[in-house]
Amino acid sequence: MAADRIERHSRRTRWFHTGAYLVTTGLLVTGWWLYLGGEGHPTPLSRATGLADVRLHVWLGRALAVWAVIPLFAGRRSIATFLRETFRHDHGDGRWLLRWPTAVFTGRFARHEGEFDPGQRVANVLLVGALILLISSGLALSVLHGGQVFAVLAHIHLWSTFVVTPLIAGHVLIAVGVLPGYRGVWRAMHLGGRVPLATARRLWPAWTERRLLGLDPTGPRR
Amino acid sequence: MRWTNRVRWLPVVPLLLGLALVAVACGGNAGAATAGDLSLHITAPTAGVKVAEPFMVRVDSSVPLGDPSTGDHHVHLCFDSASCDAEYTLVYGNEFMVTGLAPGEHTIEASLRNADHTPAGPTDEITVTVKPAGTAATGSSPSPAAGAAGTGSGSSSSMGDGTSAYGPGYGG
């Protein structure tokens, strides 16, 4: 069965992704809890850690900031690939986007040439951009106690949260593989990162071909 | 230029970000009131009185109070020795209507907070006795922290007679 699968992401990328989403989940839970009026009423996470939700949110945010910086030192080649593949544009990307709404349910995606499909590329730009804004505004807030700068940063932090939350929700909806077109894709970041070959060919046809032919710098792994 | 060459300088970004944050922190906190300038007092009800629910807690602060998103200070109201860092009710104005306290003696602590919810320094504490509900509806007595409710802006009713603004039955 292993021969019918292909490694989509490296172990290092998967660990980075896992750490990021675990911390981000804690941030979303505590952040939305505070925003929706739960402040002063500790969450189970707060009771378990003995930290107030506000402080928990601050420390999780600092942890995410540190985590986000790691690839800048330890994964620069991956970042280069990520940026190159995110900002690529090929003939036919528009057709892929036009067919995407129905392909989500039928699995009949148009062909594209990238490591990321055109939808992923748009999501990468929006999500990474909003996360940079969210993390940097949060970091700045964590070193301030109040005042006008605090108020401006609080609004930036809040509005970037409003952008990030639906993006992450959409990302999760696609990544868990419940939509017919994305069935099997959840393995890309979990349990060895080996997705079924049929899934890879359906979602990233050109990348899969390059991998299988050994044209990818990291080499094919079947 | 290849992407690998472009990202060579990326580690500089967090360093620049860190420097920017220090600059923001220095500028952002400049002019902020120090703990010595701040004061907070619970002006009503007075300590030791008997009150009937609902009753108004009024605080007097040396700085304007507001929603944390405005950057202003605010107050954490904590009941019966609960931690003002963990279990509290937010007060964004000078008045707050309290409900949900069981009959008996209760401590009410007000803690002045920075917009980021860290302690600004001043606190004040009083003890009041909530009278058994004679005319009020009987039933459950939710925990103080969970049951306390009100509006940050509070009512604008006169405090002149010392009774009406604190709800029915107030009067010590």
Side-chain angles (χ1 to χ4, degrees):
Chain A
M1 283 298 109
D4 296 332
R5 294 180 178 275
I6 186 168
E7 187 179 42
R8 171 68 178 158
H9 295 293
S10 68
R11 181 193 295 266
R12 201 155 60 169
T13 301
R14 296 197 306 272
W15 274 108
F16 176 75
H17 179 261
T18 302
Y21 78 63
L22 287 176
V23 178
T24 303
T25 301
L27 281 164
L28 284 173
V29 168
T30 52
W32 278 103
W33 178 258
L34 296 171
Y35 177 72
L36 295 174
E39 191 179 345
H41 310 297
T43 58
L45 199 58
S46 168
R47 291 189 190 282
T49 57
L51 280 171
D53 284 304
V54 173
R55 301 316 301 165
L56 199 55
H57 189 75
V58 167
W59 281 108
L60 284 171
R62 286 170 176 166
L64 183 61
V66 170
W67 194 253
V69 166
I70 290 174
L72 296 176
F73 297 94
R76 273 184 266 178
R77 203 170 69 170
S78 298
I79 292 179
T81 303
F82 178 85
L83 292 173
R84 185 187 66 238
E85 289 295 323
T86 292
F87 289 103
R88 76 177 289 157
H89 177 71
D90 301 298
H91 184 71
D93 286 350
R95 191 172 67 247
W96 188 96
L97 287 166
L98 283 174
R99 280 177 62 172
W100 178 72
T102 50
V104 164
F105 300 101
T106 64
R108 288 194 286 273
F109 294 95
R111 183 181 171 85
H112 67 88
E113 301 302 317
E115 178 168 340
F116 303 121
D117 65 50
Q120 278 180 294
R121 291 175 223 161
V122 173
N124 284 349
V125 172
L126 293 175
L127 192 55
V128 172
L131 276 174
I132 288 172
L133 206 56
L134 192 63
I135 293 171
S136 53
S137 63
L139 267 182
L141 281 169
S142 77
V143 296
L144 293 170
H145 293 308
Q148 288 183 334
V149 175
F150 184 97
V152 171
L153 288 169
H155 280 96
I156 293 172
H157 197 66
L158 190 62
W159 282 100
S160 47
T161 301
F162 293 156
V163 173
V164 161
T165 302
L167 284 172
I168 288 180
H171 172 70
V172 170
L173 177 67
I174 285 173
V176 294
V178 293
L179 297 170
Y182 289 97
R183 210 152 273 164
V185 78
W186 72 274
R187 289 291 294 262
M189 282 293 183
H190 302 93
L191 302 179
R194 301 170 77 82
V195 296
L197 209 47
T199 301
R201 284 192 168 119
R202 187 172 71 243
L203 293 170
W204 313 288
W207 171 83
T208 306
E209 289 161 10
R210 289 197 295 270
R211 269 284 171 115
L212 294 177
L213 291 171
L215 299 176
D216 189 282
T218 53
R221 294 186 187 181
R222 288 190 60 180
Chain B
M1 186 187 290
R2 293 184 59 191
W3 283 105
T4 42
N5 292 331
R6 292 182 193 182
V7 298
R8 184 175 296 166
W9 301 101
L10 274 178
V12 176
V13 174
L15 298 176
L16 290 175
L17 183 63
L19 288 173
L21 288 176
V22 171
V24 165
C26 293
N29 281 329
T34 59
D37 303 327
L38 302 171
S39 67
L40 179 74
H41 301 287
I42 299 175
T43 56
T46 49
V49 298
K50 290 182 179 176
V51 295
E53 287 199 309
F55 64 95
M56 190 78 81
V57 170
R58 189 177 177 88
V59 295
D60 180 32
S61 168
S62 60
V63 287
L65 301 177
D67 187 290
S69 66
T70 63
D72 286 340
H73 291 77
H74 64 280
V75 172
H76 287 188
L77 214 54
C78 330
F79 298 86
D80 300 325
S81 303
S83 166
C84 276
D85 289 320
E87 294 190 42
Y88 50 85
T89 299
L90 289 165
V91 179
Y92 298 154
N94 292 96
E95 293 179 340
F96 190 83
M97 188 71 79
V98 173
T99 62
L101 290 177
E105 196 172 278
H106 295 279
T107 59
I108 303 174
E109 181 184 356
S111 171
L112 188 65
R113 297 284 162 149
N114 296 307
D116 69 343
H117 302 282
T118 54
T123 62
D124 196 11
E125 184 176 304
I126 60 167
T127 301
V128 297
T129 302
V130 175
K131 293 193 285 192
T135 54
T138 57
S140 62
S141 297
S143 69
T151 59
S153 55
S155 78
S156 58
S157 57
S158 166
M159 303 285 286
D161 61 4
T163 57
S164 60
Y166 307 125
Y170 172 80

